[in-house]
Amino acid sequence: MTSKRYLIIGGVAGGMSVATRLRRLDEHAQITVLERGGHVSFANCGLPYHLGGVIEERSSLLLQTPESLRSRFDLDVRVRTEAVAIDRAARTVTARDLTTGEQTVLPFDALVLSPGSVPIRPPMPGGERMLSLWNIDDLDAAMSRLEAKPRTALVIGAGFIGLEMVENLAHRGIDVALVELADQVLPPVDPEMAGPVAQRLIDRGVDVRLGTEVVEIGPGSAMLDDGSVVAAEFVLGSVGVRPETGLARAAGLELGERGGIRVDDRLRTSDPHIWAIGDAVEKVDAITGEHRLIALAGLANRHGRLAADAITGRDIRVRDALGTAVVGVMGLTVAATGWNEKLLRSRGRDIRVLHTHPASHTGYYPGAETMSLKLLVDAETDLILGVQGVGGDGVDKRIDVIATAMAGGITASELAELELAYAPQYSSAKDPVNMLGYVAMNAADGLTPSIQWHEVDRAVEAGATVLDIRTAGEVDEGAVPGSLRIPLDELRDRLDELPEGRLVVHCKVGQRGHTAVRLLAQHGRDAVNLDGGYLTWRAGIDSRRLVAPAPAGTRAA
Amino acid sequence: MTSKRYLIIGGVAGGMSVATRLRRLDEHAQITVLERGGHVSFANCGLPYHLGGVIEERSSLLLQTPESLRSRFDLDVRVRTEAVAIDRAARTVTARDLTTGEQTVLPFDALVLSPGSVPIRPPMPGGERMLSLWNIDDLDAAMSRLEAKPRTALVIGAGFIGLEMVENLAHRGIDVALVELADQVLPPVDPEMAGPVAQRLIDRGVDVRLGTEVVEIGPGSAMLDDGSVVAAEFVLGSVGVRPETGLARAAGLELGERGGIRVDDRLRTSDPHIWAIGDAVEKVDAITGEHRLIALAGLANRHGRLAADAITGRDIRVRDALGTAVVGVMGLTVAATGWNEKLLRSRGRDIRVLHTHPASHTGYYPGAETMSLKLLVDAETDLILGVQGVGGDGVDKRIDVIATAMAGGITASELAELELAYAPQYSSAKDPVNMLGYVAMNAADGLTPSIQWHEVDRAVEAGATVLDIRTAGEVDEGAVPGSLRIPLDELRDRLDELPEGRLVVHCKVGQRGHTAVRLLAQHGRDAVNLDGGYLTWRAGIDSRRLVAPAPAGTRAA
């Protein structure tokens, strides 16, 4: 029996998962890994935190070396070695040693492409001054630039990684400006959820510029499309990545309409001897069934293992992807999975939207923090289409629980029945996830009709009255303009004070509003609950204010 | 239309959930709540923490009052009022005002029993000196006893609540002894998981006595069945609860073989006009389908709401119960759901058992804490039967995720595919839950056979060799006696040093052991992986040492 020759292009995340799993499955195979960069299996998600000094040692990001992989897994790992061509008919790959320029032809029985993605660099004057942070070489370049002790920095792009960059540069004591083309930070979540995150950045001194674009980067400053100039001795960009498909394209492998490598549900490309995984590959979206690019380490690792299983003859099926993600921003946790309201509405999906503002654990036990949760539900099937969370302690837990519920086909209403671990310092007898289920159930069976924060104006224009049932003390902290105020505990006795027509009822978070709507409905009134209460309405309205045109030149160099 | 008369017996947790939900569903009903104690809707799970001074204000435990419930929900709540008899034919309840002795007969259209449970008091001389902590009156009695500033305390019973009592008394600076009849603390989890919890208590100065019983309580000390005496100026008991079924029994309602009120899957008792919920009711176990008593606030609240739905004509189905629970003990979190190994083996279930020791988040990001997880899997179906977790940060999250997976019918192997939120400070690219899935998959398809810590002795007796593949530095911290030591990274080159016969391979946590077993198997060796590695073996062996007979009289008064 001759041993199999397995060749893997790309030695980070997915590529290394393939290689080590292949070894466990086939002790006698020849397994070769080609990596264009100088390092394999490094902690790409840790890069911003070394930049910020939170992770002190660069070496702690280097999880494996070619030497450690040889001794433990008998892998032939070649760094600074680029795969330059695939000969599909001959089943060979030509590899070039980037140090010596020497070329080698490597035969394979199975080839795995795990080339990853590369940061997008918007073309502009001075664009070469924008650094990326996608691999160890990028990190080294950025760290050496920081030795000049810049006092000001600009981050372009307010996605998950962009915000990690902001946090870490601020952690170094640098004045940071953040520029984002969209009208909000964190485009994967909806504006009323992202608004408080932007506000937190502003409160911590970050110069946040939304709905604007950098048009030129100079030696110590950058110009935006509104003509303003921001000081920027150091510029980091994170405006997205594109799949690294050059080699696949040149080899004639099928690509998808999103520009990624197309694979089947067994991770096989259009060539039966070639598999592909990771950022370069299009995934199937679990909500829509469409192909989509999702650059997440978790999926890359998981698919790496599955590819090894498939190559060695195991029957695998790749699960459609939700794209769960989380980021820590200046003490806030933001996490999401599935689709958001913007996308679902743009597709014309019939959805129910729920906002809650629960405490991380019982209010009577010290240290409870408020979080905001948003659930997107299919109006017909009650299936969960997406969830978003922003807050402190316990946000990641609730998103993980709901991502698991989605994977298990648990409906929104069924969240009420989940048995989650409860003691006063961990949760509430009705966990925030259970509460979402209750709200979903009340929405599903029509008990409490609700409207969204962005629908209030239209309702008022149509003649509705906003009824604020909070206590006087709560109203003092801010209110919807023009609202009528009757505290819930007096409502039953003051029904005759209500004007005719529809009532848009709201409390602080939506829970008392539900009680009030039930009360009013049974007294024959047309009442709807403002979903998420005053807090969601406030966050939504405020999120619009954050896009106000920036005063020109406020941080001019 | 005459308004319905709804009568609820018991005004805590479940009872109050019924009442408020009924009001939301029926604005015009007469809703009366009878509560024997002095308070309704108090935070029973917070009681130990007020005892310990963690929750400073007693008032913060009193979530609602009869007055607040009247003004918001128009409820007629009568405290210190006991239901003394149910006349099922007449559909009335006789209630006695415990202050005045006055009796009233209350008619009902629907009656809900939510009488709860009462602490078990083992009969013994001086037993009246043992306090309980089950309601506000208990708390008041305990707090007034603490005014005498006892320096020593005894807690009887090492279940979840017993350990909360220990923690809180220790938090007050009191020397605490803990006596438990079983050979371990926290009987709902298995001994190798509970051992480190007992050790933590010992390390923090608690006098832990396992496998022993209190036989007499004196004025300042207590005597155990081994003849030893422990100083105990203050004695709290938590040895379990029994369902409060006197009223139901007297009314001739059907009880179950566990002694609780029997209800159908719509929470209806054997009388079609009477529903029952909470601790007094037997639940259907989700793993076995048997009836079982589970005293958990979460289930009581949830079933309260469902009972209200059922009474008002909604079609409900109660989900079978897992019994998820969590407790914080001196900085450790212990959480579990479903069945444990002891119970499953005692039933002869064919199971797979998996132990892991993952970090709460990536090792390269500061602050990661190790946890221990244990998964019980049905060997035939791969369904998850139970899970246990002990550790610091993030244990509750993983148990909640797996409880959700169980509810969704996700198999152990499918845990690998869950998309959980990952950033370096929250998780790992392969979350601990995913890792359990990988281990489960390797076990399910026979790739890596494993044995448990308690099976090692038998394997060695049968001729197996224990092969320790850890590094020399790790071995220095302790090892399995008689093991052969070859570090994993040298194993491939030193295969000829291995003795004949079966090899029981182990590393620290089991992961490298998996790699070694795969390597050895493909070189024709009969190798099994010690599940959970050295850490699980150590915890299991140590858990047995904790039951050593206590030195008599060490803390004699």
Side-chain angles (χ1 to χ4, degrees), chain B residues 69-96:
Chain B
L69 290 161
R70 174 172 296 282
S71 61
R72 179 158 306 173
F73 294 104
D74 193 20
L75 301 180
D76 177 7
V77 176
R78 309 183 187 183
V79 295
R80 302 228 182 270
T81 302
E82 186 168 17
V84 292
I86 303 169
D87 183 334
R88 288 168 54 189
R91 284 196 221 154
T92 61
V93 166
T94 303
R96 182 169 57 213

Short mmCIF file of all heavy atoms in Angstrom, two decimals, chain B residues 69-96:
data_model
loop_
_atom_site.label_atom_id
_atom_site.label_comp_id
_atom_site.label_asym_id
_atom_site.label_seq_id
_atom_site.Cartn_x
_atom_site.Cartn_y
_atom_site.Cartn_z
N LEU B 69 -49.89 44.52 44.20
CA LEU B 69 -50.58 43.58 43.32
C LEU B 69 -52.03 43.98 43.11
O LEU B 69 -52.61 43.70 42.07
CB LEU B 69 -50.47 42.16 43.89
CG LEU B 69 -49.05 41.59 43.82
CD1 LEU B 69 -48.88 40.43 44.78
CD2 LEU B 69 -48.71 41.15 42.39
N ARG B 70 -52.59 44.64 44.12
CA ARG B 70 -53.95 45.14 43.92
C ARG B 70 -53.96 46.28 42.92
O ARG B 70 -54.76 46.30 41.98
CB ARG B 70 -54.59 45.58 45.25
CG ARG B 70 -55.97 46.24 45.02
CD ARG B 70 -56.74 46.53 46.29
NE ARG B 70 -57.11 45.35 47.03
CZ ARG B 70 -58.14 44.54 46.72
NH1 ARG B 70 -58.87 44.77 45.64
NH2 ARG B 70 -58.40 43.49 47.46
N SER B 71 -53.06 47.24 43.09
CA SER B 71 -53.14 48.40 42.22
C SER B 71 -52.78 48.06 40.78
O SER B 71 -53.39 48.58 39.85
CB SER B 71 -52.26 49.54 42.75
OG SER B 71 -50.91 49.13 42.79
N ARG B 72 -51.80 47.18 40.58
CA ARG B 72 -51.43 46.89 39.20
C ARG B 72 -52.29 45.81 38.55
O ARG B 72 -52.64 45.92 37.38
CB ARG B 72 -49.95 46.48 39.11
CG ARG B 72 -49.53 46.15 37.68
CD ARG B 72 -48.07 46.26 37.45
NE ARG B 72 -47.56 47.57 37.86
CZ ARG B 72 -46.28 47.88 37.90
NH1 ARG B 72 -45.38 47.00 37.54
NH2 ARG B 72 -45.90 49.07 38.28
N PHE B 73 -52.62 44.78 39.34
CA PHE B 73 -53.29 43.63 38.72
C PHE B 73 -54.69 43.38 39.28
O PHE B 73 -55.32 42.39 38.92
CB PHE B 73 -52.43 42.38 38.89
CG PHE B 73 -51.13 42.44 38.15
CD1 PHE B 73 -49.94 42.69 38.81
CD2 PHE B 73 -51.10 42.26 36.77
CE1 PHE B 73 -48.74 42.75 38.12
CE2 PHE B 73 -49.91 42.31 36.08
CZ PHE B 73 -48.72 42.57 36.75
N ASP B 74 -55.14 44.26 40.16
CA ASP B 74 -56.49 44.10 40.72
C ASP B 74 -56.65 42.71 41.34
O ASP B 74 -57.65 42.03 41.13
CB ASP B 74 -57.55 44.35 39.64
CG ASP B 74 -58.95 44.50 40.23
OD1 ASP B 74 -59.04 44.80 41.45
OD2 ASP B 74 -59.92 44.29 39.49
N LEU B 75 -55.62 42.27 42.07
CA LEU B 75 -55.66 40.97 42.72
C LEU B 75 -56.07 41.13 44.19
O LEU B 75 -55.71 42.10 44.83
CB LEU B 75 -54.28 40.29 42.69
CG LEU B 75 -53.64 40.04 41.32
CD1 LEU B 75 -52.28 39.36 41.50
CD2 LEU B 75 -54.56 39.18 40.45
N ASP B 76 -56.82 40.15 44.67
CA ASP B 76 -57.19 40.10 46.09
C ASP B 76 -56.22 39.12 46.76
O ASP B 76 -56.43 37.92 46.74
CB ASP B 76 -58.65 39.63 46.20
CG ASP B 76 -59.10 39.47 47.64
OD1 ASP B 76 -58.33 39.85 48.56
OD2 ASP B 76 -60.21 38.95 47.84
N VAL B 77 -55.16 39.67 47.33
CA VAL B 77 -54.11 38.83 47.90
C VAL B 77 -54.23 38.83 49.42
O VAL B 77 -54.20 39.90 50.04
CB VAL B 77 -52.71 39.35 47.49
CG1 VAL B 77 -51.61 38.52 48.17
CG2 VAL B 77 -52.55 39.32 45.98
N ARG B 78 -54.40 37.68 50.00
CA ARG B 78 -54.58 37.57 51.45
C ARG B 78 -53.41 36.80 52.06
O ARG B 78 -53.32 35.57 51.91
CB ARG B 78 -55.89 36.87 51.76
CG ARG B 78 -57.06 37.51 51.01
CD ARG B 78 -58.37 36.86 51.37
NE ARG B 78 -59.42 37.38 50.51
CZ ARG B 78 -60.71 37.05 50.61
NH1 ARG B 78 -61.09 36.19 51.55
NH2 ARG B 78 -61.61 37.57 49.81
N VAL B 79 -52.54 37.52 52.78
CA VAL B 79 -51.42 36.84 53.42
C VAL B 79 -51.83 36.38 54.81
O VAL B 79 -52.87 36.76 55.33
CB VAL B 79 -50.16 37.74 53.49
CG1 VAL B 79 -49.66 38.05 52.10
CG2 VAL B 79 -50.45 39.00 54.27
N ARG B 80 -50.99 35.51 55.41
CA ARG B 80 -51.31 34.89 56.71
C ARG B 80 -52.73 34.32 56.70
O ARG B 80 -53.49 34.44 57.65
CB ARG B 80 -51.13 35.87 57.86
CG ARG B 80 -49.71 36.45 57.94
CD ARG B 80 -49.11 36.41 59.32
NE ARG B 80 -47.78 37.02 59.34
CZ ARG B 80 -46.64 36.35 59.12
NH1 ARG B 80 -46.64 35.05 58.91
NH2 ARG B 80 -45.49 36.97 59.14
N THR B 81 -53.05 33.76 55.57
CA THR B 81 -54.37 33.15 55.38
C THR B 81 -54.16 31.75 54.84
O THR B 81 -53.56 31.57 53.78
CB THR B 81 -55.21 33.99 54.40
OG1 THR B 81 -55.32 35.32 54.91
CG2 THR B 81 -56.60 33.39 54.23
N GLU B 82 -54.65 30.78 55.58
CA GLU B 82 -54.41 29.40 55.20
C GLU B 82 -55.67 28.77 54.61
O GLU B 82 -56.77 28.94 55.14
CB GLU B 82 -53.98 28.60 56.44
CG GLU B 82 -53.58 27.17 56.10
CD GLU B 82 -52.90 26.47 57.25
OE1 GLU B 82 -53.03 26.95 58.41
OE2 GLU B 82 -52.24 25.45 57.00
N ALA B 83 -55.47 28.06 53.51
CA ALA B 83 -56.57 27.27 52.97
C ALA B 83 -56.64 26.00 53.82
O ALA B 83 -55.66 25.25 53.88
CB ALA B 83 -56.31 26.93 51.51
N VAL B 84 -57.75 25.76 54.48
CA VAL B 84 -57.82 24.61 55.38
C VAL B 84 -58.60 23.43 54.79
O VAL B 84 -58.42 22.31 55.25
CB VAL B 84 -58.41 25.00 56.77
CG1 VAL B 84 -57.43 25.91 57.51
CG2 VAL B 84 -59.76 25.67 56.62
N ALA B 85 -59.42 23.68 53.80
CA ALA B 85 -60.15 22.56 53.20
C ALA B 85 -60.68 22.94 51.83
O ALA B 85 -61.02 24.10 51.57
CB ALA B 85 -61.32 22.14 54.10
N ILE B 86 -60.72 21.92 50.95
CA ILE B 86 -61.32 22.10 49.63
C ILE B 86 -62.59 21.26 49.59
O ILE B 86 -62.55 20.06 49.89
CB ILE B 86 -60.37 21.62 48.51
CG1 ILE B 86 -59.04 22.36 48.58
CG2 ILE B 86 -61.02 21.77 47.14
CD1 ILE B 86 -57.96 21.75 47.68
N ASP B 87 -63.70 21.87 49.25
CA ASP B 87 -64.92 21.11 49.02
C ASP B 87 -65.10 21.01 47.50
O ASP B 87 -65.55 21.95 46.85
CB ASP B 87 -66.11 21.82 49.68
CG ASP B 87 -67.41 20.99 49.53
OD1 ASP B 87 -67.51 20.20 48.56
OD2 ASP B 87 -68.30 21.17 50.38
N ARG B 88 -64.69 19.84 46.96
CA ARG B 88 -64.67 19.72 45.50
C ARG B 88 -66.07 19.73 44.91
O ARG B 88 -66.29 20.29 43.82
CB ARG B 88 -63.93 18.44 45.10
CG ARG B 88 -62.44 18.56 45.33
CD ARG B 88 -61.75 17.23 45.21
NE ARG B 88 -62.06 16.59 43.94
CZ ARG B 88 -61.72 15.34 43.64
NH1 ARG B 88 -61.08 14.60 44.53
NH2 ARG B 88 -62.04 14.83 42.48
N ALA B 89 -67.01 19.13 45.61
CA ALA B 89 -68.38 19.07 45.09
C ALA B 89 -68.97 20.48 45.02
O ALA B 89 -69.58 20.87 44.02
CB ALA B 89 -69.23 18.16 45.96
N ALA B 90 -68.76 21.23 46.08
CA ALA B 90 -69.34 22.58 46.13
C ALA B 90 -68.46 23.61 45.42
O ALA B 90 -68.87 24.75 45.21
CB ALA B 90 -69.51 23.00 47.59
N ARG B 91 -67.24 23.17 45.06
CA ARG B 91 -66.24 24.08 44.48
C ARG B 91 -66.02 25.30 45.37
O ARG B 91 -66.19 26.46 44.96
CB ARG B 91 -66.65 24.52 43.09
CG ARG B 91 -66.41 23.42 42.09
CD ARG B 91 -66.42 23.93 40.67
NE ARG B 91 -67.12 22.98 39.84
CZ ARG B 91 -67.75 23.30 38.71
NH1 ARG B 91 -67.76 24.54 38.30
NH2 ARG B 91 -68.35 22.38 38.01
N THR B 92 -65.65 24.98 46.59
CA THR B 92 -65.29 26.05 47.52
C THR B 92 -64.03 25.67 48.28
O THR B 92 -63.68 24.49 48.38
CB THR B 92 -66.40 26.30 48.57
OG1 THR B 92 -66.59 25.09 49.33
CG2 THR B 92 -67.71 26.71 47.94
N VAL B 93 -63.37 26.68 48.80
CA VAL B 93 -62.22 26.49 49.68
C VAL B 93 -62.52 27.24 50.98
O VAL B 93 -63.01 28.37 50.95
CB VAL B 93 -60.93 27.05 49.03
CG1 VAL B 93 -59.81 27.18 50.06
CG2 VAL B 93 -60.50 26.15 47.87
N THR B 94 -62.24 26.59 52.09
CA THR B 94 -62.38 27.27 53.37
C THR B 94 -61.03 27.85 53.74
O THR B 94 -60.02 27.13 53.78
CB THR B 94 -62.83 26.30 54.47
OG1 THR B 94 -64.06 25.70 54.06
CG2 THR B 94 -63.03 27.02 55.79
N ALA B 95 -61.02 29.16 53.99
CA ALA B 95 -59.77 29.85 54.30
C ALA B 95 -59.83 30.38 55.72
O ALA B 95 -60.87 30.85 56.18
CB ALA B 95 -59.55 31.01 53.33
N ARG B 96 -58.68 30.27 56.44
CA ARG B 96 -58.66 30.79 57.80
C ARG B 96 -57.63 31.91 57.91
O ARG B 96 -56.47 31.74 57.50
CB ARG B 96 -58.30 29.68 58.80
CG ARG B 96 -58.31 30.21 60.25
CD ARG B 96 -58.23 29.09 61.26
NE ARG B 96 -57.04 28.28 61.04
CZ ARG B 96 -56.98 26.97 61.28
NH1 ARG B 96 -58.03 26.31 61.70
NH2 ARG B 96 -55.85 26.31 61.06
#
